[in-house]
Amino acid sequence: MSWWVVLTAVLMALAIAWIGMIALRAASGPGPRESPEVEDVEELDVFLVCRECGTEFRVTRLGELQIPRHCGEPMEVVRRPAAGDLTPG
């Protein structure tokens, strides 16, 4: 067996392994991200409201905002005045 055949086989094996690793990395998706800071927003009285059925979720901690869907429609962000915040007007 010629040394050219062995060299060609080794180079082809390395090329296939390299392409395979690139494909696996691409298929696995992005690596772990740094989690965003979580902010306490309980005093702001923020709600997510479904306009279809009236379901409400109160937002107390806010990280990366992703508006959920309820009844198939995205919920709306509603900010209401706090109970102790009664300003005339």
Side-chain angles (χ1 to χ4, degrees):
M1 194 172 355
S2 172
W3 64 276
W4 287 104
V5 173
V6 173
L7 181 63
T8 304
V10 169
L11 290 176
M12 288 180 67
L14 289 174
I16 290 171
W18 182 68
I19 291 171
M21 291 299 292
I22 290 174
L24 284 175
R25 286 185 186 146
S28 68
R33 296 185 297 172
E34 190 175 308
S35 63
E37 292 290 324
V38 177
E39 183 180 353
D40 186 20
V41 294
E42 189 169 2
E43 68 277 353
L44 297 179
D45 288 331
V46 177
F47 294 85
L48 294 171
V49 179
C50 177
R51 295 293 180 194
E52 294 292 317
C53 68
T55 299
E56 296 183 0
F57 296 118
R58 182 168 185 208
V59 179
T60 57
R61 296 179 66 192
L62 187 62
E64 186 175 325
L65 183 62
Q66 294 179 355
I67 304 295
R69 291 185 171 269
H70 194 267
C71 296
E73 297 296 322
M75 299 179 87
E76 294 182 17
V77 178
V78 177
R79 184 172 187 269
R80 299 185 183 137
D85 186 22
L86 299 174
T87 56

